[in-house]
Structures are given as structure tokens and as C-alpha cells.
Short mmCIF file of all heavy atoms in Angstrom, two decimals:
data_model
loop_
_atom_site.label_atom_id
_atom_site.label_comp_id
_atom_site.label_asym_id
_atom_site.label_seq_id
_atom_site.Cartn_x
_atom_site.Cartn_y
_atom_site.Cartn_z
N PRO A 1 75.62 98.53 89.58
CA PRO A 1 76.73 98.99 90.42
C PRO A 1 77.69 97.85 90.76
O PRO A 1 78.91 98.04 90.73
CB PRO A 1 76.03 99.54 91.66
CG PRO A 1 74.71 100.04 91.14
CD PRO A 1 74.32 99.01 90.10
N GLN A 2 77.15 96.65 91.02
CA GLN A 2 78.01 95.49 91.30
C GLN A 2 78.85 95.13 90.08
O GLN A 2 79.99 94.71 90.20
CB GLN A 2 77.17 94.26 91.73
CG GLN A 2 76.40 94.46 92.99
CD GLN A 2 74.95 94.92 92.71
OE1 GLN A 2 74.69 95.70 91.81
NE2 GLN A 2 74.03 94.43 93.51
N GLY A 3 78.24 95.25 88.90
CA GLY A 3 78.97 94.98 87.66
C GLY A 3 80.11 95.95 87.44
O GLY A 3 81.21 95.56 87.04
N HIS A 4 79.86 97.22 87.73
CA HIS A 4 80.94 98.23 87.62
C HIS A 4 82.05 97.94 88.62
O HIS A 4 83.24 98.04 88.28
CB HIS A 4 80.39 99.64 87.84
CG HIS A 4 79.64 100.19 86.67
ND1 HIS A 4 80.26 100.61 85.52
CD2 HIS A 4 78.32 100.39 86.48
CE1 HIS A 4 79.36 101.05 84.66
NE2 HIS A 4 78.17 100.93 85.22
N GLU A 5 81.68 97.58 89.83
CA GLU A 5 82.68 97.28 90.86
C GLU A 5 83.54 96.10 90.45
O GLU A 5 84.77 96.14 90.53
CB GLU A 5 82.00 97.00 92.19
CG GLU A 5 82.96 96.66 93.31
CD GLU A 5 82.27 96.36 94.63
OE1 GLU A 5 81.13 96.82 94.85
OE2 GLU A 5 82.88 95.65 95.43
N TYR A 6 82.88 95.03 90.02
CA TYR A 6 83.61 93.83 89.59
C TYR A 6 84.54 94.16 88.43
O TYR A 6 85.73 93.79 88.45
CB TYR A 6 82.62 92.73 89.21
CG TYR A 6 83.27 91.51 88.62
CD1 TYR A 6 84.10 90.70 89.38
CD2 TYR A 6 83.05 91.16 87.28
CE1 TYR A 6 84.70 89.57 88.83
CE2 TYR A 6 83.65 90.04 86.74
CZ TYR A 6 84.47 89.25 87.52
OH TYR A 6 85.06 88.14 86.96
N LEU A 7 84.03 94.86 87.43
CA LEU A 7 84.84 95.19 86.26
C LEU A 7 86.02 96.08 86.65
O LEU A 7 87.14 95.89 86.17
CB LEU A 7 83.99 95.86 85.18
CG LEU A 7 84.67 96.08 83.84
CD1 LEU A 7 85.21 94.77 83.25
CD2 LEU A 7 83.70 96.73 82.86
N ASN A 8 85.80 97.02 87.53
CA ASN A 8 86.91 97.88 87.98
C ASN A 8 87.99 97.08 88.69
O ASN A 8 89.18 97.38 88.56
CB ASN A 8 86.40 99.00 88.87
CG ASN A 8 85.73 100.09 88.07
OD1 ASN A 8 86.04 100.31 86.91
ND2 ASN A 8 84.80 100.79 88.69
N ASN A 9 87.59 96.04 89.41
CA ASN A 9 88.57 95.22 90.12
C ASN A 9 89.37 94.30 89.21
O ASN A 9 90.42 93.81 89.61
CB ASN A 9 87.88 94.39 91.22
CG ASN A 9 87.44 95.23 92.39
OD1 ASN A 9 87.97 96.33 92.63
ND2 ASN A 9 86.46 94.76 93.12
N ILE A 10 88.88 94.06 88.00
CA ILE A 10 89.60 93.20 87.04
C ILE A 10 89.93 93.95 85.75
O ILE A 10 90.28 93.34 84.74
CB ILE A 10 88.79 91.92 86.70
CG1 ILE A 10 87.45 92.27 86.06
CG2 ILE A 10 88.62 91.06 87.93
CD1 ILE A 10 86.74 91.09 85.43
N ARG A 11 89.85 95.26 85.79
CA ARG A 11 90.00 96.08 84.57
C ARG A 11 91.36 95.90 83.90
O ARG A 11 91.44 95.69 82.69
CB ARG A 11 89.76 97.54 84.89
CG ARG A 11 89.82 98.43 83.66
CD ARG A 11 89.36 99.84 83.95
NE ARG A 11 88.00 99.88 84.43
CZ ARG A 11 86.90 99.78 83.66
NH1 ARG A 11 87.03 99.63 82.36
NH2 ARG A 11 85.70 99.86 84.19
N THR A 12 92.43 96.02 84.64
CA THR A 12 93.74 95.94 84.02
C THR A 12 94.11 94.48 83.74
O THR A 12 93.69 93.58 84.46
CB THR A 12 94.85 96.57 84.89
OG1 THR A 12 95.03 95.78 86.05
CG2 THR A 12 94.49 98.00 85.26
N ASP A 13 94.91 94.29 82.72
CA ASP A 13 95.37 92.94 82.41
C ASP A 13 96.18 92.36 83.57
O ASP A 13 96.12 91.17 83.83
CB ASP A 13 96.19 92.93 81.12
CG ASP A 13 95.36 93.17 79.88
OD1 ASP A 13 94.12 92.94 79.93
OD2 ASP A 13 95.91 93.60 78.86
N THR A 14 96.92 93.23 84.25
CA THR A 14 97.71 92.78 85.41
C THR A 14 96.81 92.27 86.52
O THR A 14 97.03 91.18 87.06
CB THR A 14 98.59 93.93 85.93
OG1 THR A 14 99.46 94.37 84.88
CG2 THR A 14 99.41 93.50 87.14
N ALA A 15 95.78 93.03 86.84
CA ALA A 15 94.85 92.61 87.90
C ALA A 15 94.15 91.31 87.51
O ALA A 15 94.03 90.39 88.32
CB ALA A 15 93.82 93.71 88.18
N TRP A 16 93.71 91.23 86.27
CA TRP A 16 93.00 90.02 85.80
C TRP A 16 93.94 88.81 85.85
O TRP A 16 93.55 87.72 86.26
CB TRP A 16 92.46 90.26 84.40
CG TRP A 16 91.68 89.13 83.82
CD1 TRP A 16 91.91 88.53 82.61
CD2 TRP A 16 90.58 88.43 84.40
NE1 TRP A 16 91.00 87.52 82.40
CE2 TRP A 16 90.17 87.43 83.48
CE3 TRP A 16 89.88 88.55 85.59
CZ2 TRP A 16 89.12 86.56 83.73
CZ3 TRP A 16 88.82 87.69 85.84
CH2 TRP A 16 88.46 86.71 84.91
N SER A 17 95.18 88.99 85.45
CA SER A 17 96.15 87.92 85.49
C SER A 17 96.40 87.45 86.92
O SER A 17 96.51 86.24 87.18
CB SER A 17 97.47 88.40 84.85
OG SER A 17 98.42 87.39 84.90
N GLN A 18 96.47 88.39 87.86
CA GLN A 18 96.67 88.02 89.26
C GLN A 18 95.48 87.23 89.81
O GLN A 18 95.66 86.26 90.55
CB GLN A 18 96.90 89.28 90.11
CG GLN A 18 98.24 89.93 89.84
CD GLN A 18 98.37 91.28 90.54
OE1 GLN A 18 97.39 91.90 90.95
NE2 GLN A 18 99.61 91.73 90.67
N VAL A 19 94.29 87.63 89.42
CA VAL A 19 93.09 86.90 89.85
C VAL A 19 93.13 85.48 89.30
O VAL A 19 92.90 84.51 90.03
CB VAL A 19 91.80 87.63 89.43
CG1 VAL A 19 90.56 86.76 89.64
CG2 VAL A 19 91.67 88.95 90.15
N LYS A 20 93.41 85.34 88.00
CA LYS A 20 93.44 84.01 87.39
C LYS A 20 94.51 83.13 88.03
O LYS A 20 94.28 81.94 88.26
CB LYS A 20 93.66 84.13 85.88
CG LYS A 20 92.48 84.72 85.14
CD LYS A 20 92.60 84.62 83.64
CE LYS A 20 93.80 85.35 83.11
NZ LYS A 20 93.87 85.35 81.65
N THR A 21 95.66 83.71 88.34
CA THR A 21 96.73 82.95 88.99
C THR A 21 96.29 82.46 90.37
O THR A 21 96.55 81.32 90.75
CB THR A 21 98.01 83.82 89.12
OG1 THR A 21 98.44 84.17 87.82
CG2 THR A 21 99.11 83.09 89.86
N LYS A 22 95.59 83.31 91.09
CA LYS A 22 95.14 82.98 92.45
C LYS A 22 94.12 81.84 92.45
O LYS A 22 94.14 80.98 93.31
CB LYS A 22 94.54 84.24 93.07
CG LYS A 22 94.48 84.27 94.55
CD LYS A 22 95.84 84.54 95.11
CE LYS A 22 95.72 85.32 96.38
NZ LYS A 22 96.92 85.17 97.19
N ILE A 23 93.21 81.84 91.46
CA ILE A 23 92.15 80.83 91.45
C ILE A 23 92.51 79.58 90.66
O ILE A 23 91.82 78.57 90.78
CB ILE A 23 90.81 81.41 90.92
CG1 ILE A 23 90.95 81.87 89.46
CG2 ILE A 23 90.31 82.53 91.82
CD1 ILE A 23 89.65 82.30 88.82
N GLN A 24 93.59 79.62 89.90
CA GLN A 24 93.97 78.49 89.04
C GLN A 24 94.07 77.15 89.79
O GLN A 24 93.57 76.14 89.28
CB GLN A 24 95.28 78.79 88.32
CG GLN A 24 95.69 77.70 87.36
CD GLN A 24 97.00 78.01 86.68
OE1 GLN A 24 97.76 78.85 87.15
NE2 GLN A 24 97.26 77.35 85.58
N PRO A 25 94.64 77.10 90.98
CA PRO A 25 94.74 75.80 91.67
C PRO A 25 93.37 75.17 91.97
O PRO A 25 93.27 73.96 92.16
CB PRO A 25 95.46 76.13 92.98
CG PRO A 25 96.18 77.40 92.71
CD PRO A 25 95.35 78.14 91.72
N LEU A 26 92.33 75.97 91.99
CA LEU A 26 91.01 75.45 92.31
C LEU A 26 90.30 74.87 91.09
O LEU A 26 89.27 74.21 91.22
CB LEU A 26 90.14 76.57 92.91
CG LEU A 26 90.69 77.20 94.19
CD1 LEU A 26 89.81 78.37 94.61
CD2 LEU A 26 90.80 76.18 95.29
N GLY A 27 90.82 75.15 89.92
CA GLY A 27 90.17 74.68 88.69
C GLY A 27 89.01 75.59 88.35
O GLY A 27 89.19 76.70 87.90
N SER A 28 87.82 75.12 88.61
CA SER A 28 86.61 75.89 88.31
C SER A 28 86.05 76.47 89.60
O SER A 28 85.95 75.77 90.61
CB SER A 28 85.58 74.95 87.67
OG SER A 28 84.41 75.65 87.38
N VAL A 29 85.73 77.76 89.58
CA VAL A 29 85.15 78.40 90.76
C VAL A 29 83.95 79.25 90.37
O VAL A 29 83.80 79.64 89.20
CB VAL A 29 86.18 79.30 91.49
CG1 VAL A 29 87.35 78.49 92.00
CG2 VAL A 29 86.67 80.42 90.61
N ALA A 30 83.13 79.54 91.33
CA ALA A 30 81.95 80.37 91.10
C ALA A 30 82.38 81.82 90.83
O ALA A 30 83.42 82.28 91.32
CB ALA A 30 81.04 80.33 92.33
N LEU A 31 81.56 82.51 90.08
CA LEU A 31 81.82 83.93 89.78
C LEU A 31 81.94 84.75 91.06
O LEU A 31 82.76 85.65 91.15
CB LEU A 31 80.72 84.49 88.87
CG LEU A 31 80.87 85.94 88.44
CD1 LEU A 31 82.19 86.16 87.68
CD2 LEU A 31 79.70 86.35 87.58
N SER A 32 81.15 84.40 92.06
CA SER A 32 81.21 85.15 93.33
C SER A 32 82.59 85.00 93.98
O SER A 32 83.10 85.94 94.59
CB SER A 32 80.12 84.68 94.29
OG SER A 32 80.26 83.30 94.57
N VAL A 33 83.23 83.85 93.80
CA VAL A 33 84.59 83.65 94.33
C VAL A 33 85.58 84.50 93.54
O VAL A 33 86.45 85.14 94.13
CB VAL A 33 84.98 82.15 94.29
CG1 VAL A 33 86.44 81.95 94.66
CG2 VAL A 33 84.07 81.34 95.19
N VAL A 34 85.45 84.50 92.23
CA VAL A 34 86.32 85.33 91.39
C VAL A 34 86.18 86.79 91.81
O VAL A 34 87.19 87.50 91.95
CB VAL A 34 85.98 85.16 89.90
CG1 VAL A 34 86.84 86.08 89.03
CG2 VAL A 34 86.14 83.71 89.46
N ALA A 35 84.96 87.24 92.03
CA ALA A 35 84.72 88.63 92.44
C ALA A 35 85.36 88.93 93.78
O ALA A 35 85.96 90.00 93.97
CB ALA A 35 83.23 88.91 92.49
N GLU A 36 85.26 88.01 94.72
CA GLU A 36 85.87 88.21 96.05
C GLU A 36 87.38 88.23 95.98
O GLU A 36 88.03 89.03 96.66
CB GLU A 36 85.39 87.15 97.03
CG GLU A 36 83.98 87.37 97.53
CD GLU A 36 83.80 88.70 98.26
OE1 GLU A 36 84.65 89.07 99.10
OE2 GLU A 36 82.81 89.39 97.97
N VAL A 37 87.96 87.36 95.17
CA VAL A 37 89.42 87.34 94.99
C VAL A 37 89.86 88.67 94.38
O VAL A 37 90.84 89.27 94.84
CB VAL A 37 89.87 86.14 94.14
CG1 VAL A 37 91.33 86.26 93.73
CG2 VAL A 37 89.63 84.85 94.88
N ALA A 38 89.16 89.13 93.36
CA ALA A 38 89.50 90.41 92.70
C ALA A 38 89.41 91.56 93.70
O ALA A 38 90.29 92.42 93.75
CB ALA A 38 88.57 90.65 91.52
#
């Protein structure tokens, strides 16, 4: 269920691009941070 939730939050290319833009200044981040940003 967590995997489905995470994937739904990053499903569209637009959403995924927004997530990557948001975390880019941090360089490398934990997956849990990516999930929370999404």
C-alpha cells in the first residue's frame, strides 16, 4: 500500500519533475524524504 501511495504521488512526469526540482538543492536525499516531498 505504501508503494502504491508513493507511486501515485510521483506518477505523472509533471509531479515527478516538481519533486526532483524541490530536492535538487539538497543533492542526495533519503527515499523517505522524496516520499514526503511528493
